[in-house]
Structure formats: C-alpha cells, structure tokens
C-alpha cells in the first residue's frame, strides 16, 4: 500500500485549508492506491474497490476542462474554481453582488442573462500574476452532487438524457466496470455525458495540473464543503483577507431551480439521497470512489464493509 515507502493516510481534516492540502496530495495518487485507501481507511467494501477502473468518460460543457472566475479588478487577488452543482450559481451571484462584475471582461452579470453567461468571463488560462492569487472552490457530497447533476443534465435535450433514465445509466456503469479493458463507454457515449455528471475530482485534477510546472505555487488554498457552508463561508473571507485578497462579505444565496426540482420528482427513489436504493448507491460508490476519498466525504453505509 506504500508508494516508494510513503503511506498516505487521509487526514480527518480540520477545515478548508487543511482539506485543500489533502485534495492536492490525494489527486496525485494513482487510482490503485486510492482504492486501497478507500478500503483501509474509509471502510469501503473491498468488492467495490475491486471493480475495474471506469473507462475514460467524455464530458462536455461550460466548466471543462476547468474554469476560473474572479472579480474584474486585480485588487480582488482571488480566483474561484467553478464546479457545477456545488454551489457555482450561488457563488457567481454573490461575486456579481460583491464586485459588481466578474471575470476578465468586467461586464455586468445577472441571473437573467443568457448569452455568454459563464464562458466569456472565465478562463482556463491564468496569467503569471493570477497564478499567485488565492485559489478556492466549493465541493458537494458525491451522492447529492450526482443527483443534482443528473436532474440538471436531463434538462439538456441535446444529450438525450431523461429524468427517468438514471437506472439505465447506473446499470451501464456497473456492467462496464466489471469488464476488463472495456472501451464501450468511451467509444459510444461521448455525447451523453453533460458536465454536470462529471466527478468533481475530474475538474479539480485539471486545475491542479495547470500548476505542475510550478510546485511553489498553489492551485487551491481553500476547499469548502457545501454541506458546511454555514460555517466555512465565514472562514473563506478571513482566509482571503489574510493573504491580501479582497474578502467576500455577502452571504451565499440559496438558488432553487424549478426545472431540476421537477426532474428530481421524475427520478423517483433516485431523486433523493435519503431514498436512493442501496444497490444503486454501491454503483455510485465505485464510480465516485475518488471523490469520496479525496474530498473527504464518508461513504454511505450501504457501501461499507460490515465484517465483525
């Protein structure tokens, strides 16, 4: 279980700053090591960790490969990594309220805006000065993230997903994960994977890779959990101001989407983490194993080993 004599042990993170350091360390580990950590330190059922690695899935959408957002003046000195279905719409709203504009163009943004709402004002590339800025993001519980992502992606008629089709998607994941060297998902479903279905670590890894050539710089200094936002949002302002960035004083608003709410109802038992079937949870635990381990979320009870 060691890598060159190093045995990584997931910390019981004390806050967003410590979590950010663990995320960077964890994301650099190979999937084989992450599976061992899931079993050894998180209690995951070894049968789930023994699944073959999922084939590379093709995702498309506004937040890929990764998207940084910031206030329109350099005085903000902070950049936000947007992760869909992890509070990103709420963050964009509070940034608009706090700074009056966002992104590189400096144009006003309102929720009613439709054209160029995210693409034009964010950037994959960072200047040398922006690489030194305070980087932060919000992450969500993997199961809740998947449910919200499916409900959102199902509103995208271009990819052919339906609110009631989640069972078929999970069955496909389970079937392909049991086949060694399977390329079926990668070859046949590249148009079916909306960005809202992408594992959160998929986006985070892309952002971290941008800093591979500059280990002295930090991609993310603060990783807050959406489930802890009532306490960690206040810590964000203090952390930003401690490094000379302009803190966000406004509260994170709650945004309800009527379309996704209707889709959740159509998803039946899959529309809520409380009613998600155990068999389906086990498929998600295998698919999102790296999100659970690297983002420091506990696996659902249905996924744990219950050996006495």
């Amino acid at each position: 279980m060691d890598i060159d004599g190093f045995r990584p042990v997931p910390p019981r993170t004390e806050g967003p700053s410590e979590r950010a350091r663990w995320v960077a360390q964890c994301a650099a580990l190979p999937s084989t090591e992450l599976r061992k950590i899931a079993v050894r330190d998180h209690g995951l059922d070894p049968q789930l960790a023994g699944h073959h690695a999922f084939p590379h899935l093709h995702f498309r959408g506004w937040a890929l490969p990764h998207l940084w957002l910031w206030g329109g003046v350099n005085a903000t000195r902070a950049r936000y990594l947007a992760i869909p279905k992890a509070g990103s719409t709420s963050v964009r709203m509070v940034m608009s309220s706090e700074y009056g504009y966002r992104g590189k163009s400096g144009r006003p943004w309102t929720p009613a805006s439709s054209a160029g709402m995210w693409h034009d004002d964010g950037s994959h590339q960072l200047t040398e000065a922006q690489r030194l800025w305070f980087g932060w993001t919000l992450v969500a519980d993997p199961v809740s993230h998947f449910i919200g992502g499916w409900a959102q992606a199902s509103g995208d008629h271009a990819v052919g997903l339906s609110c009631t089709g989640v069972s078929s998607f999970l069955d496909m994941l389970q079937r392909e994960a049991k086949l060694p060297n399977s390329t079926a998902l990668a070859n046949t479903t590249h148009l079916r994977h909306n960005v809202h279905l992408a594992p959160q670590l998929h986006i985070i890894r892309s952002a971290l890779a941008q800093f591979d050539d500059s280990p002295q710089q930090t991609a993310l200094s603060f990783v807050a959990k959406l489930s802890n936002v009532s306490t960690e949002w206040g810590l964000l302002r203090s952390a930003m101001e401690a490094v000379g960035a302009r803190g966000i004083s406004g509260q994170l608003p709650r945004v309800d989407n009527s379309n996704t709410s209707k889709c959740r109802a159509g998803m039946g038992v899959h529309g809520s983490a409380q009613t998600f079937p155990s068999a389906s949870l086990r498929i998600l635990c295998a698919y999102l194993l790296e999100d659970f381990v690297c983002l420091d979320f506990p696996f659902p009870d249905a996924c744990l080993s219950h050996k006495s």
Side-chain angles (χ1 to χ4, degrees), residues 259-280:
N259 290 329
T260 56
S261 296
K262 292 178 182 178
C263 188
R264 282 175 183 260
M267 291 168 66
V269 294
H270 292 101
S272 167
Q274 288 69 43
T275 59
F276 216 84
S278 295
S280 297

CSV table of all heavy atoms in Angstrom, one decimal, residues 259-280:
chain,number,residue,atom,x,y,z
A,259,ASN,N,-36.9,23.6,-12.7
A,259,ASN,CA,-36.8,22.5,-13.7
A,259,ASN,C,-36.1,21.3,-13.1
A,259,ASN,O,-36.6,20.2,-13.3
A,259,ASN,CB,-36.0,23.0,-14.9
A,259,ASN,CG,-36.8,24.0,-15.8
A,259,ASN,OD1,-38.0,23.9,-15.8
A,259,ASN,ND2,-36.1,24.9,-16.4
A,260,THR,N,-35.0,21.5,-12.3
A,260,THR,CA,-34.4,20.4,-11.7
A,260,THR,C,-35.2,19.8,-10.6
A,260,THR,O,-35.2,18.6,-10.4
A,260,THR,CB,-33.0,20.8,-11.2
A,260,THR,OG1,-33.1,21.9,-10.3
A,260,THR,CG2,-32.1,21.3,-12.3
A,261,SER,N,-36.0,20.6,-9.9
A,261,SER,CA,-36.9,20.1,-8.9
A,261,SER,C,-37.9,19.2,-9.5
A,261,SER,O,-38.2,18.1,-8.9
A,261,SER,CB,-37.6,21.3,-8.1
A,261,SER,OG,-36.6,22.1,-7.5
A,262,LYS,N,-38.5,19.5,-10.6
A,262,LYS,CA,-39.4,18.7,-11.3
A,262,LYS,C,-38.8,17.4,-11.7
A,262,LYS,O,-39.4,16.3,-11.6
A,262,LYS,CB,-40.0,19.4,-12.5
A,262,LYS,CG,-40.9,20.6,-12.1
A,262,LYS,CD,-41.4,21.3,-13.4
A,262,LYS,CE,-42.3,22.5,-13.0
A,262,LYS,NZ,-42.8,23.2,-14.2
A,263,CYS,N,-37.5,17.5,-12.2
A,263,CYS,CA,-36.8,16.3,-12.7
A,263,CYS,C,-36.5,15.4,-11.5
A,263,CYS,O,-36.6,14.1,-11.6
A,263,CYS,CB,-35.5,16.7,-13.4
A,263,CYS,SG,-34.7,15.3,-14.2
A,264,ARG,N,-36.2,15.9,-10.4
A,264,ARG,CA,-36.0,15.1,-9.2
A,264,ARG,C,-37.2,14.3,-8.8
A,264,ARG,O,-37.1,13.1,-8.5
A,264,ARG,CB,-35.6,16.0,-8.0
A,264,ARG,CG,-34.1,16.5,-8.0
A,264,ARG,CD,-33.9,17.4,-6.8
A,264,ARG,NE,-32.6,18.0,-6.8
A,264,ARG,CZ,-31.6,17.6,-6.0
A,264,ARG,NH1,-31.8,16.5,-5.2
A,264,ARG,NH2,-30.4,18.2,-6.0
A,265,ALA,N,-38.4,14.9,-9.0
A,265,ALA,CA,-39.6,14.1,-8.7
A,265,ALA,C,-39.7,13.0,-9.7
A,265,ALA,O,-40.2,11.9,-9.4
A,265,ALA,CB,-40.8,15.1,-8.8
A,266,GLY,N,-39.4,13.2,-11.0
A,266,GLY,CA,-39.4,12.2,-12.0
A,266,GLY,C,-38.4,11.1,-11.8
A,266,GLY,O,-38.6,10.0,-12.4
A,267,MET,N,-37.4,11.4,-11.1
A,267,MET,CA,-36.3,10.4,-10.8
A,267,MET,C,-36.8,9.3,-9.8
A,267,MET,O,-36.1,8.3,-9.6
A,267,MET,CB,-35.0,11.0,-10.3
A,267,MET,CG,-34.4,11.9,-11.4
A,267,MET,SD,-33.0,12.9,-10.8
A,267,MET,CE,-31.8,11.7,-10.2
A,268,GLY,N,-37.9,9.6,-9.1
A,268,GLY,CA,-38.4,8.6,-8.2
A,268,GLY,C,-37.5,8.4,-7.0
A,268,GLY,O,-37.0,9.4,-6.4
A,269,VAL,N,-37.2,7.2,-6.6
A,269,VAL,CA,-36.4,6.9,-5.5
A,269,VAL,C,-34.9,7.4,-5.6
A,269,VAL,O,-34.2,7.6,-4.7
A,269,VAL,CB,-36.3,5.4,-5.1
A,269,VAL,CG1,-37.7,4.9,-4.7
A,269,VAL,CG2,-35.8,4.6,-6.3
A,270,HIS,N,-34.5,7.7,-6.9
A,270,HIS,CA,-33.2,8.2,-7.2
A,270,HIS,C,-33.1,9.7,-7.1
A,270,HIS,O,-32.0,10.3,-7.3
A,270,HIS,CB,-32.7,7.8,-8.6
A,270,HIS,CG,-32.5,6.3,-8.7
A,270,HIS,ND1,-33.4,5.5,-9.3
A,270,HIS,CD2,-31.5,5.5,-8.4
A,270,HIS,CE1,-33.0,4.2,-9.3
A,270,HIS,NE2,-31.8,4.2,-8.8
A,271,GLY,N,-34.2,10.3,-6.7
A,271,GLY,CA,-34.2,11.8,-6.6
A,271,GLY,C,-33.8,12.4,-5.3
A,271,GLY,O,-33.8,13.6,-5.1
A,272,SER,N,-33.5,11.5,-4.3
A,272,SER,CA,-33.1,12.0,-3.0
A,272,SER,C,-32.0,11.0,-2.4
A,272,SER,O,-32.1,9.8,-2.6
A,272,SER,CB,-34.3,12.0,-2.1
A,272,SER,OG,-33.9,12.2,-0.7
A,273,ALA,N,-31.0,11.6,-1.7
A,273,ALA,CA,-30.0,10.8,-1.1
A,273,ALA,C,-30.6,9.9,0.0
A,273,ALA,O,-30.1,8.8,0.3
A,273,ALA,CB,-28.9,11.7,-0.5
A,274,GLN,N,-31.7,10.3,0.6
A,274,GLN,CA,-32.4,9.5,1.6
A,274,GLN,C,-33.1,8.3,1.1
A,274,GLN,O,-33.3,7.3,1.8
A,274,GLN,CB,-33.4,10.4,2.4
A,274,GLN,CG,-32.7,11.5,3.3
A,274,GLN,CD,-32.0,12.6,2.5
A,274,GLN,OE1,-32.5,13.1,1.5
A,274,GLN,NE2,-30.8,13.0,3.0
A,275,THR,N,-33.6,8.4,-0.2
A,275,THR,CA,-34.3,7.2,-0.7
A,275,THR,C,-33.5,6.5,-1.8
A,275,THR,O,-34.0,5.5,-2.4
A,275,THR,CB,-35.6,7.8,-1.3
A,275,THR,OG1,-35.3,8.7,-2.4
A,275,THR,CG2,-36.5,8.4,-0.3
A,276,PHE,N,-32.3,6.9,-2.1
A,276,PHE,CA,-31.5,6.3,-3.1
A,276,PHE,C,-31.3,4.8,-2.8
A,276,PHE,O,-30.8,4.5,-1.7
A,276,PHE,CB,-30.2,7.0,-3.3
A,276,PHE,CG,-29.6,7.0,-4.6
A,276,PHE,CD1,-30.0,8.1,-5.5
A,276,PHE,CD2,-28.7,6.1,-5.1
A,276,PHE,CE1,-29.5,8.2,-6.8
A,276,PHE,CE2,-28.2,6.2,-6.4
A,276,PHE,CZ,-28.5,7.2,-7.2
A,277,PRO,N,-31.7,3.9,-3.6
A,277,PRO,CA,-31.6,2.4,-3.3
A,277,PRO,C,-30.2,2.0,-3.0
A,277,PRO,O,-29.2,2.5,-3.6
A,277,PRO,CB,-32.1,1.7,-4.6
A,277,PRO,CG,-32.9,2.8,-5.3
A,277,PRO,CD,-32.3,4.1,-5.0
A,278,SER,N,-30.0,1.0,-2.1
A,278,SER,CA,-28.7,0.6,-1.7
A,278,SER,C,-27.9,0.0,-2.8
A,278,SER,O,-26.7,0.3,-2.9
A,278,SER,CB,-28.8,-0.5,-0.6
A,278,SER,OG,-29.4,0.1,0.6
A,279,ALA,N,-28.5,-0.7,-3.7
A,279,ALA,CA,-27.8,-1.3,-4.8
A,279,ALA,C,-27.3,-0.2,-5.7
A,279,ALA,O,-26.2,-0.3,-6.3
A,279,ALA,CB,-28.7,-2.3,-5.6
A,280,SER,N,-28.1,0.8,-5.9
A,280,SER,CA,-27.6,2.0,-6.8
A,280,SER,C,-26.5,2.7,-6.1
A,280,SER,O,-25.6,3.2,-6.7
A,280,SER,CB,-28.8,2.9,-7.0
A,280,SER,OG,-29.8,2.2,-7.8
